[in-house]
Amino acid sequence: MVTEAGSGHPGGSLSSADIVTALFFHTMNHRPDEPKWPDRDRFILSKGHCAPVLYAALARSGYFPVCDLLNLRKIDCHLQGHPDMNKTRGVEISSGSLGQGLSVSVGMALAMRLDGLPGQIFTLMGDGESQEGEVWEAVMAGAHYKLSNLTAIVDANGLQIDGFTRDVMNVEPLPAKFEAFGWTAKAIDGHDMAQTVEVLDWSRSVDGPVAIIAKTVKGKGVSFMENQAGWHGKAPTVKEAEQAIMELRGEAVPGSETPAEGETVGG
Amino acid sequence: MAAELKPRATREAYGEALLELGKRHDNVVALDADLAGSTKSGQFAKAFPERFFNVGVAEANMMAMAAGFAIGGKVPYASTFAVFATGRAYDQVRQSIAQPRLPVRVCASHGGLTVGEDGCTHQSIEDIGLMRLLPNMKVVVPADFNQTYGAVLESYKTEGPMYIRTGRPKTPFLYPEPPATLGRGADVLREGSDISLLACGIMVVRALEAAEELKKRDISAEVVNVSIIKPIDVDTVAASLAKTGCAVTAEEHSIIGGLGDAVQEVAAEYCPVRIGRLGIKDVFGKSGTPDQLLEEFHLTTEHMVGLAEQVLASGK
Ligand SMILES: Cc1ncc(C[n+]2csc(CCOP(=O)(O)OP(=O)(O)O)c2C)c(N)n1
Ligand SMILES: [Mg+2]
């Protein structure tokens, strides 16, 4: 998809692919044939540059044809470089300017509470994104309003554009920060599907807002992308994409000595 | 046109000039918000790590920090994408930089639609307007690599706050070498008598092309590169309007608030003539290649020619 587009953000899409998969295909109640179903759970992609993983999940859920994915970022395609709620079916908010999604989520959660709606909001953020001061204004508000219908997930892949998050501007310890603001925080391995699913489900039952700090690997599943800042926002070539897809499928890559890495949990 | 030079992006000129300023002046500091590779401040970061501050994804904090550096006697250059430098951190730029008249250089890359595929969230179409509205703020939009390089070097000595907008795409050279000064910021690149084409940024080269095309149609167009949008060079702009009697403005920006409005203001006060504004017509951008977007949003040479003919046809 990103190869066809010629630009885009594979690294952070892959680090959150397991989390997004768990949400769309296990945790969330949603109706692809009725995107505005009032009782649905909502997925908010605050780190809008990871649109590819959202679009893939939406397409595979049936919100729009999978073949649309190949027109990502092309002129006149509804799949914009960053999500647009007025263009793409199933996209809950427009995002791309980092740091705003949790604030929007707080507003949505309050509106849903006023209307007595049962849905849970799952908001996915980046660890680099958490450097925005607005994130912490929203965290404060989430606790203040005791938003039990709000679950924030931080894709803690340790990288941002200019390098490792700890080198650019350290955001850790994230769980302690959320707790200090009055949230229930839980650190998980964001590639351990059983744990991810369990904690996402559990977050619904907690009184007050929950933050899940998911330790992940940026570029997860593609050997040459893993933990590389350079793959934040770069499109793979056709050859690289072929290798990436084979590795992600767990197939042996022809001509390479090392067999593709399996989904070794904790990787 | 300096056609023999291979096109280069104006943001690259920013990176190189900033590095040069770092070598010349110990009190130059640079800040970025996790986009040092894209804005090109990374070159300075490498050479002077002790004077470079990457604040992370935190533009508001960066702008107010830059104000602090200026108060502390440094000359800060703060860079990020134009959309975040102006929109995200507007109040910090307003309250902490513009109002106290501090010598902070807000150096914004990725201005306009030619950001391309990232789409409307990253395409800044209102930054010139936002910055123009702030008292004390000088607003500079250079047209090519060399003019950007010269502008950044010159900015070291400029008093007060300044906004410099650069772009993502490679842009043809117009100036054979970096000018020592922008002067008053309105260069008449081509003389003409029938209509004035006043342009900034990437539209200047298109204005020159349009003038060439208009010549084939027996229309003599004057081309003015307006690199300082504020304070605009009233004398040069008004003189050109008086000479030709009508104009087209062209910018990679909304038709509201940018160069077009700045020229209209001059016209209204000093020389009321008919003016057509080529720009983004009060809508947000979208994903696409830079060329596709320029076509779709009517920012091509052909559109400029068409608008010029329309203005002329409607009478002076
Ligand atoms: C307000 C804002 N500033 C800057 C950017 C440019 N930008 C896009 S992604 C990114 C880094 C984000 O890092 P992180 O949140 O850790 O994302 P991930 O590692 O999951 O891709 C930046 C600075 C932006 N989109 N929005
Ligand atoms: Mg990250």
Side-chain angles (χ1 to χ4, degrees):
Chain A
M1 180 184 350
V2 177
T3 297
E4 281 290 328
S7 63
H9 298 83
S13 294
L14 288 167
S15 61
S16 49
D18 290 336
I19 297 160
V20 173
T21 303
L23 283 167
F24 274 82
F25 303 101
H26 171 83
T27 309
M28 289 202 307
N29 298 313
H30 61 125
R31 294 179 176 168
D33 53 353
E34 195 188 345
K36 300 279 179 207
W37 176 43
D39 289 358
R40 72 190 183 282
D41 293 328
R42 279 121 171 113
F43 174 68
I44 305 300
L45 183 67
S46 185
K47 52 167 188 152
H49 60 283
C50 297
V53 72
L54 169 61
Y55 295 157
L58 288 171
R60 298 284 170 188
S61 299
Y63 285 88
F64 51 80
V66 172
C67 61
D68 287 6
L69 297 176
L70 294 179
N71 288 321
L72 168 70
R73 291 176 160 244
K74 300 224 168 104
I75 196 126
D76 296 334
C77 177
H78 65 96
L79 300 175
Q80 296 293 293
H82 293 79
D84 187 323
M85 63 186 285
N86 294 318
K87 288 195 169 150
T88 303
R89 257 181 120 245
V91 169
E92 300 278 3
I93 72 161
S94 295
S95 58
S97 180
L98 292 167
Q100 306 190 23
L102 193 60
S103 301
V104 177
S105 303
V106 167
M108 288 173 78
L110 285 167
M112 285 163 71
R113 188 155 81 187
L114 286 175
D115 289 347
L117 294 174
Q120 184 80 9
I121 298 183
F122 296 93
T123 303
L124 181 64
M125 306 185 294
D127 46 4
E129 177 180 17
S130 320
Q131 292 157 348
E132 288 284 0
E134 182 185 351
V135 168
W136 301 100
E137 296 173 20
V139 171
M140 201 183 309
H144 181 81
Y145 295 116
K146 302 189 174 57
L147 295 175
S148 301
N149 55 352
L150 179 58
T151 300
I153 307 140
V154 181
D155 179 357
N157 57 29
L159 278 165
Q160 52 192 113
I161 293 183
D162 284 342
F164 290 103
T165 304
R166 63 168 181 272
D167 297 332
V168 175
M169 184 55 63
N170 190 22
V171 295
E172 293 294 346
L174 281 170
K177 284 193 172 83
F178 275 97
E179 274 165 6
F181 276 77
W183 288 49
T184 302
K186 191 144 186 92
I188 66 163
D189 173 349
H191 301 304
D192 178 337
M193 193 51 89
Q195 192 190 15
T196 302
V197 160
E198 188 198 316
V199 171
L200 285 170
D201 284 342
W202 159 82
S203 74
R204 289 178 187 279
S205 63
V206 177
D207 210 20
V210 172
I212 300 173
I213 316 302
K215 181 86 200 73
T216 61
V217 174
K218 200 155 176 170
K220 175 69 181 173
V222 180
S223 55
F224 56 90
M225 289 188 185
E226 287 194 354
N227 284 316
Q228 299 294 320
W231 282 101
H232 169 84
K234 186 169 77 167
T237 62
V238 173
K239 227 176 132 232
E240 286 165 343
E242 280 167 4
Q243 182 183 341
I245 289 166
M246 296 195 79
E247 287 188 14
L248 287 166
R249 285 189 178 143
E251 295 165 9
V253 179
S256 92
E257 304 286 282
T258 35
E261 273 201 350
E263 284 296 292
T264 35
V265 166
Chain B
M1 236 189 281
E4 65 283 2
L5 295 163
K6 275 227 311 266
R8 290 190 73 188
T10 50
R11 63 182 165 133
E12 291 181 45
Y14 170 64
E16 291 188 14
L18 180 64
L19 179 63
E20 180 59 29
L21 281 179
K23 290 180 190 158
R24 290 188 196 173
H25 310 286
D26 284 345
N27 63 347
V28 166
V29 299
L31 301 91
D32 207 296
D34 197 29
L35 287 167
S38 298
T39 64
K40 302 297 172 190
S41 70
Q43 300 179 38
F44 181 98
K46 236 173 145 179
F48 306 104
E50 74 290 352
R51 284 193 268 148
F52 177 75
F53 303 88
N54 195 332
V55 303
V57 195
E59 298 78 10
N61 188 40
M62 174 173 74
M63 291 306 174
M65 271 176 68
F69 274 113
I71 292 168
K74 307 296 174 196
V75 182
Y77 286 74
S79 52
T80 176
F81 288 178
V83 79
F84 308 128
T86 60
R88 187 48 166 264
Y90 196 63
D91 196 51
Q92 285 72 20
V93 173
R94 180 183 194 275
Q95 315 286 3
S96 294
I97 297 173
Q99 192 279 325
R101 211 183 303 125
L102 292 170
V104 174
R105 287 80 184 80
V106 176
C107 297
S109 71
H110 292 63
L113 290 174
T114 49
V115 165
E117 291 83 349
D118 269 352
C120 66
T121 51
H122 286 52
Q123 292 160 350
S124 169
I125 55 165
E126 71 280 42
D127 55 313
I128 300 174
L130 285 171
M131 291 296 109
R132 217 164 64 84
L133 271 171
L134 293 175
N136 300 330
M137 184 63 79
K138 184 169 183 176
V139 180
V140 175
V141 184
D144 77 345
F145 182 95
N146 278 338
Q147 198 182 28
T148 308
Y149 191 91
V152 174
L153 285 192
E154 188 183 16
S155 72
Y156 177 76
K157 296 188 297 277
T158 307
E159 278 175 28
M162 189 167 171
Y163 178 70
I164 304 178
R165 182 205 227 205
T166 61
R168 175 171 184 248
K170 292 187 175 15
T171 308
F173 277 81
L174 294 170
Y175 293 82
E177 54 196 57
T181 171
L182 293 182
R184 294 180 62 195
D187 289 353
V188 179
L189 298 182
R190 176 179 174 133
E191 302 249 0
S193 52
D194 296 330
I195 188 166
S196 304
L197 307 179
L198 301 132
C200 64
I202 63 160
M203 297 311 289
V204 178
V205 64
R206 288 163 179 81
L208 287 167
E209 288 166 4
E212 200 54 40
E213 183 57 37
L214 287 165
K215 188 179 163 201
K216 291 182 198 151
R217 305 178 193 189
D218 278 334
I219 297 165
S220 163
E222 176 148 302
V223 177
V224 186
N225 169 21
V226 185
S227 58
I228 301 178
I229 315 291
K230 188 188 150 189
I232 195 163
D233 179 353
V234 173
D235 295 340
T236 305
V237 170
S240 184
L241 298 180
K243 177 174 159 194
T244 62
C246 65
V248 163
T249 61
E251 62 199 306
E252 197 192 359
H253 185 272
S254 172
I255 52 168
I256 299 173
L259 172 67
D261 273 4
V263 170
Q264 301 241 41
E265 287 157 16
V266 173
E269 277 189 48
Y270 301 97
C271 183
V273 297
R274 193 177 294 276
I275 294 173
R277 286 174 300 168
L278 199 70
I280 300 150
K281 298 179 187 72
D282 198 22
V283 289
F284 284 105
K286 61 191 250 191
S287 291
T289 66
D291 283 343
Q292 286 171 332
L293 293 169
L294 293 176
E295 178 70 41
E296 176 154 341
F297 289 85
H298 295 185
L299 295 179
T300 66
T301 303
E302 293 69 42
H303 287 105
M304 211 182 310
V305 170
L307 185 56
E309 290 193 313
Q310 216 177 302
V311 168
L312 282 163
S314 56
K316 289 187 182 175

